[in-house]
Amino acid sequence: MPRAITRLAIILFPVFLDGCSSLLPRGQTTTVGPWQNFHEAQQVFDKIVPYQTTFEDLKKLKLDPESNPNITILNYSDVIRRFIPSPSANEEDLAPGVKECILAKAACHGYEVVQKSSTSKRYGNFWADFANFKRKTEVTGWSFNAVILVKDNVVIYTLIGGQPAIRELEESKNPLGPFQGGGESILRNRIPVP
């Protein structure tokens, strides 16, 4: 009978360890906004036509600071800093809409749209992670950013960017496990800071 229990324990132990991976931490960071993914945001921006789309049209697309919390209003100096980062930058290299906005000074302003979503999930061996010997984390998600320049309530320039898909794998190994970094914290607590 004891031999049967030992065999059963040997068979069930890996199943128990595998089931523990669901106990690993998970996290999610999302910027609240109207789009669920990069492509939805891009489809909205594809509807904007420079020199035709008005500020009222932007409102209908939920691209105004009143209805979308992820929009930053850019004033004249913000626009200059964004498109002419250094005095050595050549103004002739700027897009026509950007030049027009800079020449219009206070009559032109911009909107910066930033929306992102990321999920982090730890995976691997629960006990190695729990004891801090080895931690693996997978981060997935997407990010979208755009700039809209508006002069006299008409869009004159748009620029979009971002990452349609984010996938990062992080792995940290600590040969001393829970004792890793313990010496540093002891020294930090013992040495007085001037």
Side-chain angles (χ1 to χ4, degrees), residues 27-52:
Q28 184 167 357
T29 304
T30 302
T31 307
V32 178
W35 310 297
Q36 300 302 310
N37 57 52
F38 182 92
H39 300 292
E40 282 183 21
Q42 189 171 18
Q43 287 174 347
V44 169
F45 273 81
D46 288 345
K47 295 175 183 175
I48 299 172
V49 179
Y51 298 101
Q52 290 181 16

Side-chain angles (χ1 to χ4, degrees), residues 34-189:
W35 310 297
Q36 300 302 310
N37 57 52
F38 182 92
H39 300 292
E40 282 183 21
Q42 189 171 18
Q43 287 174 347
V44 169
F45 273 81
D46 288 345
K47 295 175 183 175
I48 299 172
V49 179
Y51 298 101
Q52 290 181 16
T53 304
T54 65
F55 182 70
E56 290 303 315
D57 296 330
L58 291 179
K59 281 186 172 183
K60 291 175 189 169
L61 295 171
K62 297 196 184 324
L63 289 172
D64 69 296
E66 301 288 324
S67 64
N68 189 333
N70 305 317
I71 295 181
T72 302
I73 299 171
L74 304 174
N75 62 31
Y76 168 69
S77 60
D78 294 329
V79 172
I80 288 177
R81 272 194 300 272
R82 178 156 328 264
F83 291 101
I84 305 178
S86 72
S88 65
N90 193 350
E91 189 176 313
E92 287 79 40
D93 294 336
L94 295 175
V98 176
K99 280 189 219 177
E100 186 178 336
C101 185
I102 290 172
L103 291 173
K105 297 188 179 184
C108 185
H109 63 280
Y111 297 113
E112 179 181 33
V113 181
V114 177
Q115 186 171 342
K116 56 188 168 186
S117 176
S118 68
T119 302
S120 65
K121 177 182 168 189
R122 296 241 283 271
Y123 65 97
N125 184 295
F126 170 78
W127 295 107
D129 187 292
F130 181 74
N132 199 26
F133 284 106
K134 186 175 184 180
R135 288 192 173 154
K136 295 179 179 181
T137 307
E138 178 182 32
V139 179
T140 57
W142 59 276
S143 70
F144 179 86
N145 57 58
V147 174
I148 304 169
L149 298 181
V150 179
K151 177 185 163 198
D152 299 326
N153 289 326
V154 176
V155 174
I156 59 172
Y157 179 78
T158 61
L159 179 67
I160 65 170
Q163 289 181 270
I166 297 171
R167 184 162 188 257
E168 300 171 356
L169 301 174
E170 302 168 5
E171 185 174 329
S172 64
K173 295 179 182 178
N174 296 317
L176 298 177
F179 304 109
Q180 191 86 23
E184 295 170 8
S185 63
I186 290 171
L187 288 175
R188 226 179 283 128
N189 293 334

